[in-house]
Amino acid sequence: MTVSDVREDTGEPAASASVPDDPDAGPGPRTGGFGDRLAAFLRGRGPLLLILLLQTVLAYQLSNTAFEDESLYLYAGHRELALELHGTPTYDSYPSYFSGAPFLYPIIVAGLDSLGGLAAARALSLVFLLATTGIIWTLTRRLHGRAASILASALFATSAPTLFLSRFATYDAMTIFLLASAFWIVVRTAHRSPAVVLAAAPVLAFAVAVKYAALLYVPTVVAVAGLSEPALTGRAGAWRRGLFRAFLLAAAVAGLLAAGYASLSQDMKLGITQTTTNRDTGGDPLSAIVRLSMVWCGWVFVLAVVGTAFEVARRRERAGIMGRARVLLAATLAGTALLATLYQAHLHKMQSLHKHLGFGLMFAAPVAGLAIAGLARLQHRDIRRRVPGLALGMVGVLALYAGHAVKPLYGGWPDSSAMIDVIRPLVHDGHERYLAEENEVPRYYLRDQTQPYEWFTTFFFAYTGKDGRDLRGIDAYQAALHDHYFTLVILDHGPTSALDDQLDDSLKAAGSGYRLIAAVPGRTSHGPQVYEIWGLR
């Protein structure tokens, strides 16, 4: 059996070989005028266009000022651009603690920020994830037919991780797009020469360079390279050719990554170690990690398991090679949805889990789409036995659920606009010093008025007292406040609230030399959060 022996609409064996090599290519040569071709295009991809529109509308319902991660990457991008264009020092070693190469995504997004601000930077993330939705449509149609492709792309487009990352200016959206592109390449080239699969190697290597955590998903793409040929063609020798494809891709990616790593600076190697390969463990309970995973993509994983069960049940209807390979492929894609949860459960850290879940979701969505199509009998030959309302209802409920899940997290950090308005006239481009919890945010918004070396954070501080002692932690902060080292102190009692309480006591003490300039509320989804702005008397 070859790829042309599979029906386009169902993925089932057909009586005649009538399907084009590319299921998205359309039936036969183009005829008629532009209007006819446009109408044919819209008929074939109309549902996808509606899904992309829905994804955009739902994403733009999320609104907040810059999160600290966004502020950090945008600011770093501006500093890296200034270094490259004008030789201006960055005054920071971004490679030593960034989770991706600082000269890739941050520079790209900083250029957009210069043109259109934070909105333009976030729009790039939306573009990447809209493109990923389109890739999932094409992939799923090739693997499981048209009905499953509509449902898979709808599930991905309206999931909580996708909506969140569509309005979040960090590495993640670009990385997911690159992984999806490599996924598409290995599936699209399943029936071609094994050497063609090497086209996915630089895409995967680039994805890892953009965000090092993408390395966790490279084995999935390699496995798909090995399984897609027997799963889609079922021809003699497909297992052998598939294994050869997987070996070629794995060797090429390993070679590119090894060559790239050898050329890195020590700072970048340190960054890879600290952020990815040897991260510090945390103290977050396993129950909390599992609960967040279930809230954000648990239903998609459950549906992917159901989709795998459908492949097991339909194995008898296919030739032996194809049936076994399709079961293994579905299981691989479904299992990939667990990788982020398992990795962060190992670390006992919830940090960034809500973002990393979107990586595995992209791989699991095609099998989840197959599950809903199967449950609604959308692939049944008898149209009277199909239940499209069930499919529409399931997707609608999950989209509504995702919308409710994502809004509290996207509003989980305080709106900093009022705080920025208060401190803007108080800062100067010179040699003043500003202590701010999560200082990445005001530093980004006030980057044209201040220098990077003027900003300090409540997460770490070292200070040499007037008596020559080297101090760390609360002792360093209290000594610096006593010496009036900071011109402004901005506290919001967030991640370092225990330290903030101690600093408050020092600032309020008689003779401290500081006064409370303003207490500015910042809205959050969990209630009001107040920025305390202290300045020298």
Side-chain angles (χ1 to χ4, degrees):
M1 181 179 293
T2 66
V3 71
S4 61
D5 296 324
V6 179
R7 287 177 42 192
E8 177 187 355
D9 60 335
T10 67
E12 294 295 334
S16 62
S18 59
V19 179
D21 180 59
D22 184 353
D24 288 327
R30 295 181 179 179
T31 58
F34 174 77
D36 293 336
R37 293 197 299 271
L38 178 61
F41 176 88
L42 293 177
R43 279 196 301 271
R45 295 168 178 81
L48 174 61
L49 297 178
L50 291 176
I51 290 167
L52 296 178
L53 177 61
L54 178 62
Q55 181 179 345
T56 303
V57 170
L58 292 177
Y60 271 93
Q61 290 186 4
L62 303 175
S63 178
N64 203 345
T65 52
F67 183 62
E68 60 181 297
D69 287 355
E70 295 178 289
S71 301
L72 174 60
Y73 299 145
L74 288 165
Y75 187 81
H78 286 292
R79 300 303 304 182
E80 291 286 344
L81 272 175
L83 174 64
E84 295 297 328
L85 297 177
H86 310 295
T88 307
T90 62
Y91 298 104
D92 204 338
S93 179
Y94 300 119
S96 67
Y97 65 94
F98 270 26
S99 57
F103 49 79
L104 293 177
Y105 174 82
I107 284 184
I108 296 171
V109 80
L112 288 173
D113 184 54
S114 297
L115 295 174
L118 178 63
R122 286 175 170 172
L124 179 64
S125 294
L126 177 60
V127 169
F128 280 132
L129 289 176
L130 288 172
T132 302
T133 300
I135 290 173
I136 290 173
W137 164 282
T138 303
L139 273 170
T140 310
R141 186 168 180 175
R142 179 167 290 273
L143 291 172
H144 303 301
R146 177 179 170 81
S149 72
I150 296 173
L151 297 166
S153 51
L155 283 174
F156 177 80
T158 60
S159 69
T162 299
L163 295 178
F164 184 91
L165 294 175
S166 293
R167 293 283 288 156
F168 206 59
T170 59
Y171 304 114
D172 303 273
M174 183 177 183
T175 309
I176 291 173
F177 166 73
L178 290 169
L179 288 171
S181 299
F183 186 13
W184 175 82
I185 290 170
V186 299
V187 172
R188 182 65 181 82
T189 61
H191 62 291
R192 298 187 178 179
S193 168
V196 181
V197 79
L198 293 175
V203 180
L204 285 174
F206 190 44
V208 175
V210 171
K211 181 162 184 171
Y212 309 140
L215 184 63
L216 186 64
Y217 299 90
V218 170
T220 295
V221 180
V222 171
V224 173
L227 293 169
S228 54
E229 177 164 356
L232 289 173
T233 70
R235 56 192 175 191
W239 282 115
R240 184 180 67 255
R241 290 165 58 85
L243 289 174
F244 184 52
R245 277 165 45 89
F247 171 77
L248 283 178
L249 181 58
V253 174
L256 289 172
L257 293 179
Y261 185 81
S263 66
L264 297 181
S265 65
Q266 288 302 314
D267 277 353
M268 285 197 68
K269 291 180 179 178
L270 177 62
I272 293 172
T273 300
Q274 291 188 151
T275 65
T276 307
T277 60
N278 191 28
R279 287 181 63 183
D280 293 334
T281 57
D284 295 327
L286 176 62
S287 59
I289 294 171
V290 172
R291 183 171 63 251
L292 179 61
S293 299
M294 291 301 297
V295 167
W296 275 59
C297 73
W299 282 112
V300 175
F301 170 69
V302 170
L303 286 170
V305 173
V306 173
T308 303
F310 271 111
E311 289 286 25
V312 172
R314 294 162 62 184
R315 176 180 170 183
R316 298 177 183 175
E317 302 173 12
R318 298 189 177 95
I321 293 176
M322 178 179 284
R324 290 192 299 272
R326 290 181 72 92
V327 169
L328 290 173
L329 179 59
T332 298
L333 296 177
T336 302
L338 296 176
L339 291 182
T341 302
L342 294 174
Y343 175 62
Q344 299 205 211
H346 165 70
L347 295 173
H348 290 280
K349 277 190 173 182
M350 291 182 63
Q351 182 183 3
S352 297
L353 175 60
H354 59 286
K355 297 187 298 180
H356 295 161
L357 289 170
F359 290 61
L361 178 65
M362 182 269 294
F363 289 100
V367 196
L370 171 65
I372 297 181
L375 292 170
R377 298 180 179 179
L378 299 183
Q379 297 176 332
H380 203 284
R381 299 175 188 275
D382 186 349
I383 193 172
R384 294 171 299 179
R385 301 190 64 180
R386 300 176 185 175
V387 193
L390 175 62
L392 183 62
M394 291 181 68
V395 172
V397 168
L398 291 176
L400 182 65
Y401 172 79
H404 283 293
V406 71
K407 286 182 179 179
L409 190 56
Y410 197 84
W413 63 91
D415 183 328
S416 61
S417 54
M419 178 269 289
I420 297 298
D421 289 341
V422 171
I423 67 173
R424 189 180 296 278
L426 303 177
V427 300
H428 306 90
D429 187 353
H431 295 285
E432 296 183 341
R433 303 179 188 90
Y434 314 114
L435 174 64
E437 184 175 1
E438 301 163 324
N439 66 3
E440 296 89 352
V441 175
R443 186 180 64 172
Y444 159 67
Y445 281 112
L446 303 172
R447 64 185 180 280
D448 295 330
Q449 296 176 239
T450 63
Q451 294 296 324
Y453 48 76
E454 294 181 280
W455 291 96
F456 297 84
T457 178
T458 55
F459 286 90
F460 174 80
F461 181 60
Y463 183 70
T464 302
K466 290 184 176 180
D467 58 2
R469 289 190 305 151
D470 291 329
L471 304 173
R472 300 285 189 278
I474 184 61
D475 293 336
Y477 289 109
Q478 289 177 337
L481 292 175
H482 181 269
D483 296 340
H484 299 167
Y485 184 76
F486 301 116
T487 307
L488 289 177
V489 179
I490 305 160
L491 306 175
D492 62 56
H493 296 268
T496 61
S497 57
L499 174 65
D500 292 358
D501 291 340
Q502 294 177 289
L503 296 181
D504 262 348
D505 292 340
S506 298
L507 291 163
K508 293 175 182 176
S512 71
Y514 288 89
R515 64 184 179 90
L516 182 64
I517 296 174
V520 183
R523 300 187 308 274
T524 72
S525 58
H526 49 75
Q529 190 165 329
V530 177
Y531 287 102
E532 296 176 357
I533 303 172
W534 298 81
L536 288 171
R537 293 183 184 277

